[in-house]
Amino acid sequence: DAGVTQSPTHLIKTRGQQVTLRCSPKSGHDTVSWYQQALGQGPQFIFQYYEEEERQRGNFPDRFSGHQFPNYSSELNVNALLLGDSALYLCASSGTRISEQYFGPGTRLTVT
Amino acid sequence: KNQVEQSPQSLIILEGKNCTLQCNYTVSPFSNLRWYKQDTGRGPVSLTIMTFSENTKSNGRYTATLDADTKQSSLHITASQLSDSASYICVVTAVKGGSGTYKYIFGTGTRLKVLA
């Protein structure tokens, strides 16, 4: 079992550009959550996908959008990048047992 | 308001010493509390998870306690090692009754540094 995987590992973008981050959940998990973690801070919840729909959303602007595919993998899209979007983006998956939430290694996004 | 507070913010100890990290929460309805270890630039890794009825849970040198009455948890690290240097995050899960959905409330973490 590969656990939760994320790609790419690192990414450098310019202000105003768009970015797509990808996540594959742990085998057997059907729910994917995305978090933004600024340096030295705790993870901030962006949104959660279940059955290909956004089920919950944190306090993030519409520039942040996502998608979940039939195989439960997920994408996070960020449009019109700002310098403040530079962060570690974490994906976490969970299953029917709510006690499970496993994190991926993260994608480090740098916006210049 | 659902909130998780951790203390101290940072901690420096010598290798071989013990330490205790604190987590206070105001989360309702409470489902479980999990401690994560996060190395710099990496994803968090689960150490322990406790439900309402559990008072203590161990994972090697890590022992977590939970007092559901006072809404406090602690993570005790025994005989610290250099590899324990990391951030430790307390996460409380709240369940939204009828919908069956759940929400994870994160603390801001305690940054631990173990010195040789």
Side-chain angles (χ1 to χ4, degrees), chain A residues 30-31 33 35 37 39-45 48 55-56 88 90 94-106 108, chain B residues 31-32 34 36 38 40-46 49 51 89 91 93-96 99-104 106-109 111:
Chain A
D30 57 10
T31 302
S33 301
Y35 296 86
Q37 187 176 25
L39 200 61
Q41 303 295 318
Q44 298 296 312
F45 175 69
Q48 183 183 81
R55 182 161 69 172
Q56 297 182 64
L88 181 68
L90 296 167
S94 52
T96 53
R97 288 181 57 224
I98 63 172
S99 60
E100 297 177 346
Q101 191 181 35
Y102 292 85
F103 283 86
R108 169 67 63 186
Chain B
S31 177
N32 60 63
R34 190 189 284 262
Y36 287 90
Q38 185 178 23
T40 301
R42 308 291 294 274
V45 174
S46 177
I49 181 170
T51 59
I89 304 173
V91 182
T93 304
V95 181
K96 294 183 180 180
S99 65
T101 58
Y102 43 95
K103 188 174 182 179
Y104 302 103
F106 284 70
T108 53
R111 186 179 297 272

